[in-house]
Every structure is written in structure tokens, then in C-alpha cells.
Amino acid sequence: MPLVSTEDCGAVRVITYANAPFGTMTAAGSAEMFGAVMAAGEDPSVRVIVITGGIPGIFIRHYDVRELSDAADAIERGAAPAPSPPGPRPPGFHALTDMIAAVEKPVIAAINGMCMGGGFELSLACDLRIAGNAVTAIGLPETRIGIFPGGGGTQRLPRIIGEARALEIILRGLTVTGPRAHEIGIVHEVVPDPLARALEIGAELSSRGAEGLAFAKRLTRAALDRPLAEGLADERKSFAAVMRTASAREGLQAGRPPAEIQKL
């Protein structure tokens, strides 16, 4: 039974993850989700991607601890990895989060329930995070079971909320509610229906030039990882490139009256 389903709402593709009954991420789920995100990224009719959970009260609970425990046991035994089946190796969780961060379309996490560990790390790879005000657990509890966030949490969370707050959450293995996540800057909004709100924002972004959004995402994500001079040079080169696109010329024509730009 598939773990991932998709639905198009206009130019917004909703990717839903549902691994009943617990809603954990798995190797199989990572591969399915990777395929869904890649397909959305390659489909020109899709302008925005929304990721949400398909089990009531669960976005993605966390990565399957049984799979992690089995991997730890295999490492301890020095067991040789099982022979790989013919063909390319299925993409794993790290490839999935890297894909989400790099795809040239906005990705919104509609956090509609529990969102811990690997589930939270997946949301951190998204560009925007909208949480439900009834969500009870968002965070990184890994140190409670003797490990640490290994799916991007130690690197992405400090970039979002700062080192001090990230250290508190990661070292203590904390989780917070949806409203508290908004207070400390983990999520951008907290609302009664995060999927509905994500679709509203998706429709808004779908009306913008695709090239402008793609350049903006890439440049902003790279800003903290390279010297300022290098980033500014890339921005200036990219700005010249986007000005050549039809969508930019159309948008600039619409924005000629300065008083009306904020209404576009």
C-alpha cells in the first residue's frame, strides 16, 4: 500500500504522507516521498509544493526507531550490508531533505499534527512552515534515546532560530506546541487549519513569476553558507538573468504605478 499520495489544487501539488498507524518515516517512505517531490519539481504545471500528514493528529511523527535500532545493531555486529537489488539504490531520507531544500519551487510544510525527529527535520528543509494551533509536539527528542538529530536538525535549526535556542532544544530533547513553535520562530504561522492556509499561500505564490521565485529561493538559501561578496555577485548575475524572462517583464509592466505594487 502506498505511503504517499498526491493531489493537485490548481497549480499547488499537495503531497500527503500516511504510514498508518503510527505515522513514522521509513526508508520506503523516504523513497516514495523523494519520487513525489521530484515529480512535482519536474512538472511545469506545478508551481508550489505542499507537504502534509494523512493520519489525524500526525504530520510525520518521527523516523522509525525500529529501523534505526536495527541499523545500530548491524553496525555493532560489523555485519556486512545486505546485497542491493539490481538497479539504482533507492534514495534515502538525506536525499529527500536535500531535494526539498533544492527543488526550484516553494515548498510549504502544513504541520497538522505531531512533528518530531525526522518529521521535524523534513519540515526544516521546507521553505515555509504552517502549524496547527492544536499541534502538541514539534521538536527533536533524539537525545532522549541516546542519539542526536542526524537528518539535518543540528544544521538547519540553528540557521532558523539561532544557536542558543537550537542548543536548548537539541541537547534537552525538547518538543513544543504549535503556538510555542510560532513564538520562538520555528514556524511562520499557527492557524486552525494549516493545510487550508498552506493552499492559500500556495495560490498566492502560484501567481508570481516562477523564475523569480526559483532565483529568490536559491539565493536566499545560499546566503549564510558563503562570503557576502560571493553572494552579492551571484545575486547581481541572477538578477540580470531573471530580467530576461517573460514573467519578469510582465510583472514589471504591471508594477509600473508605484502606489499599486503592494497590491499585486
Side-chain angles (χ1 to χ4, degrees), residues 73-161:
D73 290 344
I75 292 170
E76 172 62 22
R77 292 194 308 268
S84 298
R89 182 179 180 181
F93 185 74
H94 293 139
L96 168 60
T97 54
D98 289 346
M99 163 74 74
I100 290 170
V103 67
E104 292 187 343
K105 296 175 182 181
V107 183
I108 306 172
I111 302 173
N112 57 338
M114 297 179 71
C115 176
M116 301 182 292
F120 181 47
E121 289 173 306
L122 184 146
S123 79
L124 292 175
C126 297
D127 304 308
L128 298 174
R129 286 165 295 282
I130 311 298
N133 53 19
V135 175
T136 59
I138 298 174
L140 297 169
E142 282 91 338
T143 60
R144 295 173 182 264
I145 57 171
I147 57 174
F148 67 87
T154 67
Q155 302 304 300
R156 291 191 170 104
L157 187 59
R159 286 167 164 78
I160 292 170
I161 62 172

Side-chain angles (χ1 to χ4, degrees), residues 21-247:
F22 300 115
T24 54
M25 179 57 70
T26 62
S30 298
E32 281 192 40
M33 183 73 80
F34 182 94
V37 174
M38 174 176 280
E42 294 175 347
D43 189 335
S45 70
V46 176
R47 301 290 303 281
V48 178
I49 301 167
V50 171
I51 297 175
T52 195
I55 299 174
I58 301 174
F59 172 70
I60 297 170
R61 184 186 293 266
H62 50 67
Y63 201 93
D64 189 288
V65 176
R66 180 177 298 179
E67 285 193 7
L68 296 177
S69 180
D70 288 345
D73 290 344
I75 292 170
E76 172 62 22
R77 292 194 308 268
S84 298
R89 182 179 180 181
F93 185 74
H94 293 139
L96 168 60
T97 54
D98 289 346
M99 163 74 74
I100 290 170
V103 67
E104 292 187 343
K105 296 175 182 181
V107 183
I108 306 172
I111 302 173
N112 57 338
M114 297 179 71
C115 176
M116 301 182 292
F120 181 47
E121 289 173 306
L122 184 146
S123 79
L124 292 175
C126 297
D127 304 308
L128 298 174
R129 286 165 295 282
I130 311 298
N133 53 19
V135 175
T136 59
I138 298 174
L140 297 169
E142 282 91 338
T143 60
R144 295 173 182 264
I145 57 171
I147 57 174
F148 67 87
T154 67
Q155 302 304 300
R156 291 191 170 104
L157 187 59
R159 286 167 164 78
I160 292 170
I161 62 172
E163 180 186 283
R165 185 73 78 180
L167 276 169
E168 179 186 25
I169 290 172
I170 292 169
L171 294 180
R172 297 181 61 197
L174 299 181
T175 62
V176 296
T177 64
R180 180 59 178 159
H182 183 243
E183 288 175 6
I184 61 180
I186 289 174
V187 302
H188 297 84
E189 295 185 25
V190 59
V191 296
D193 188 337
L195 178 56
R197 179 58 178 148
L199 288 172
E200 289 178 356
I201 296 173
E204 170 195 314
L205 294 175
S206 296
S207 69
R208 311 276 167 84
E211 297 90 351
L213 289 175
F215 276 116
K217 173 174 176 172
R218 180 181 65 78
L219 289 161
T220 304
R221 281 193 169 276
L224 298 180
D225 297 325
R226 58 184 175 177
L228 176 60
E230 182 181 331
L232 289 172
D234 191 2
E235 180 187 75
R236 291 160 188 168
K237 179 180 178 181
S238 299
F239 192 77
V242 80
M243 291 280 276
R244 300 187 188 101
T245 66
S247 61

